[in-house]
Amino acid sequence: MIDGKKVLFSGMQATGNLTLGNYIGALKNWLTLADDYECFYSVVDMHSITVRQDPAELRSRARKLLTLYIAAGLDPKKNCIYYQSHVSGHAELSWILNCFTYMGELNRMTQFKDKSAKHADNINAGLYTYPVLMAADILLYQTDVVPVGKDQLQHLEITRDIAQRFNAIYGDVFTIPEPFIGKTGAKIMSLQDPTKKMSKSDENLNASIYLMDDKDTIIRKFKRAVTDSEGIIAYNDTQAGIHNLIDIYCACTNKTPDEVVKEFEGKGYGDFKLAVGESVADLLTPLQNKFFELEKDKAYIDGIIKENGEKANYYATKTIRKVQKKVGFPERIR
Ligand code: TYM
């Protein structure tokens, strides 16, 4: 709790271009929850170097992502929007938690298996202990709730296990966090292969909608979206492509799947795809305009980075000192 409010933490990696999946699965829920919680939204640049990065590019993407959080509507005066690498507590807590995490647990992480298959020439220890850094991110702020997409649920589970294990030894040190998963859109699928998650790193550019895509590109990608030959707009598991388009449309219009099915009764896929594309463009255009405007104001963004970095450090240090004491590190002499 901070000032009587429960704490929310979430983050995104500054790798690749953000997709509509990131927006619908995470950012959109961040916006609806922001007023009810004391929120920490991190640009998790330390996670990004588990895969080789070009330094200048990483720096530039991290800043763009931070700006995008604000452009999406998160008020940086109320929400702590900051870079993970500016708060040393993440690394400090991560080391301690490493000593409370079993290799057997890490071996089960599907994201590690996927990423090590993809980057077979660089299966580094950071990639392996990535979930521990994620646990540190969350536990550092005594977080109650973590809004994420479905793909991060396994990491939330291990975070809870580590926290419970630590608490069982040392007493009530960490708040046990709960995941928050949206009702629809928790897993937005690729437009080219609806059995696969929409991902920043997909090589097929038509598979993902990027948050900075212009309206024509968005409409074109939806027109080409892979569906089926049923010809009926229905919400079921056998029509994976249509199911995904309905999820996207629901997320953009705040309608329910039933309402959407009714709205498009007797209509063809062409009409539906166009409507979905337009709803996405309507959602993204104001965000893009705001982003371009904010990006120009260097001093404003710098001020936010400094102020919020200090705020995050303040709360992180509180937890770190408590944890250091619990595990038996000597007290600092003032
Ligand atoms: P990242 O950067 O891959 O994704 C950011 C957020 O977007 C969600 N997401 C999706 N949701 C629905 N459909 C999709 N196709 C889709 N693709 C991505 C993700 O679930 C995530 O919520 N390890 C995390 C970042 C992280 C983090 C944390 C998150 C680091 N520390 C602590 C929460 C709390 C990641 O790589 O997310």
Side-chain angles (χ1 to χ4, degrees):
M1 288 278 211
I2 296 178
D3 296 337
K5 270 186 163 178
K6 286 192 169 182
V7 177
L8 179 156
F9 181 94
S10 203
M12 285 196 195
Q13 288 206 61
T15 14
N17 290 321
L18 282 208
T19 70
L20 187 62
N22 297 124
Y23 186 88
I24 294 177
L27 245 179
K28 187 170 173 281
N29 295 326
W30 297 6
L31 294 169
T32 56
L33 296 168
D35 286 342
D36 300 332
Y37 292 86
E38 184 69 36
C39 301
F40 294 85
Y41 296 114
S42 188
V43 171
V44 293
D45 46 358
M46 287 163 65
H47 278 91
S48 297
I49 62 162
T50 51
V51 173
R52 286 279 172 274
Q53 302 291 337
D54 175 77
E57 183 145 319
L58 177 60
R59 217 179 333 270
S60 149
R61 282 188 193 284
R63 188 169 175 109
K64 287 199 163 113
L65 182 54
L66 186 132
T67 308
L68 200 94
Y69 286 1
I70 305 165
L74 295 170
D75 179 352
K77 290 278 170 219
K78 290 198 207 138
N79 302 286
C80 189
I81 294 173
Y82 74 100
Y83 292 130
Q84 182 187 31
S85 62
H86 284 191
V87 180
S88 57
H90 289 262
E92 291 178 84
L93 184 59
S94 181
W95 171 253
I96 294 174
L97 297 182
N98 262 315
C99 304
F100 293 85
T101 307
Y102 297 115
M103 289 175 68
E105 291 176 298
L106 294 175
N107 287 337
R108 286 198 289 275
M109 295 292 118
T110 51
Q111 189 167 308
F112 171 67
K113 289 185 210 161
D114 292 350
K115 284 206 177 165
S116 37
K118 227 173 174 179
H119 304 277
D121 56 337
N122 182 21
I123 306 177
N124 61 71
L127 196 62
Y128 187 59
T129 57
Y130 179 114
V132 185
L133 178 58
M134 192 160 151
D137 299 341
I138 296 167
L139 301 179
L140 196 53
Y141 299 96
Q142 303 293 354
T143 301
D144 295 279
V145 67
V146 187
V148 281
K150 250 188 203 156
D151 62 330
Q152 295 300 320
L153 269 184
Q154 201 183 28
H155 291 159
L156 252 293
E157 275 311 311
I158 194 174
T159 300
R160 288 166 57 87
D161 290 345
I162 297 169
Q164 274 156 350
R165 183 171 307 138
F166 195 94
N167 283 358
I169 304 171
Y170 299 106
D172 240 358
V173 178
F174 294 122
T175 303
I176 309 296
E178 296 284 344
F180 178 96
I181 305 274
K183 276 200 198 85
T184 50
K187 195 167 183 189
I188 298 297
M189 310 309 273
S190 152
L191 297 186
Q192 290 299 309
D193 176 359
T195 61
K196 249 176 51 184
K197 177 182 95 162
M198 184 181 286
S199 158
K200 289 178 227 173
S201 54
D202 204 312
E203 275 158 24
N204 183 347
L205 298 181
N206 286 323
S208 306
I209 301 290
Y210 299 105
L211 296 195
M212 290 297 148
D213 280 348
D214 60 28
K215 185 168 181 174
D216 289 349
T217 310
I218 294 171
I219 305 272
R220 180 172 44 77
K221 286 184 181 178
F222 276 106
K223 274 190 184 156
R224 289 189 189 167
V226 169
T227 49
D228 54 64
S229 51
E230 297 281 324
I232 296 166
I233 294 152
Y235 196 60
N236 58 47
D237 291 339
T238 50
Q239 289 175 266
I242 292 292
H243 190 288
N244 190 38
L245 295 182
I246 293 179
D247 279 341
I248 294 173
Y249 191 63
C250 285
C252 295
T253 58
N254 289 324
K255 291 180 181 162
T256 64
D258 281 348
E259 285 168 346
V260 178
V261 168
K262 256 191 213 121
E263 184 180 341
F264 289 94
E265 211 177 290
K267 298 218 172 102
Y269 286 179
D271 288 345
F272 181 49
K273 285 177 172 180
L274 185 65
V276 180
E278 276 173 350
S279 74
V280 170
D282 286 349
L283 187 83
L284 296 186
T285 308
L287 180 147
Q288 293 169 356
N289 292 340
K290 184 82 194 153
F291 172 84
F292 293 127
E293 186 191 313
L294 280 169
E295 205 184 23
K296 285 189 227 140
D297 199 344
K298 187 171 179 307
Y300 172 69
I301 299 291
D302 284 350
I304 285 161
I305 291 170
K306 184 167 182 296
E307 233 170 75
N308 282 329
E310 283 165 5
K311 180 174 169 187
N313 257 302
Y314 170 80
Y315 289 106
T317 305
K318 269 185 154 181
T319 301
I320 278 291
R321 294 289 172 263
K322 190 170 167 189
V323 171
Q324 287 174 332
K325 195 169 170 193
K326 289 283 181 187
V327 297
F329 293 170
E331 271 191 54
R332 280 153 208 257
I333 315 286
R334 283 173 210 281

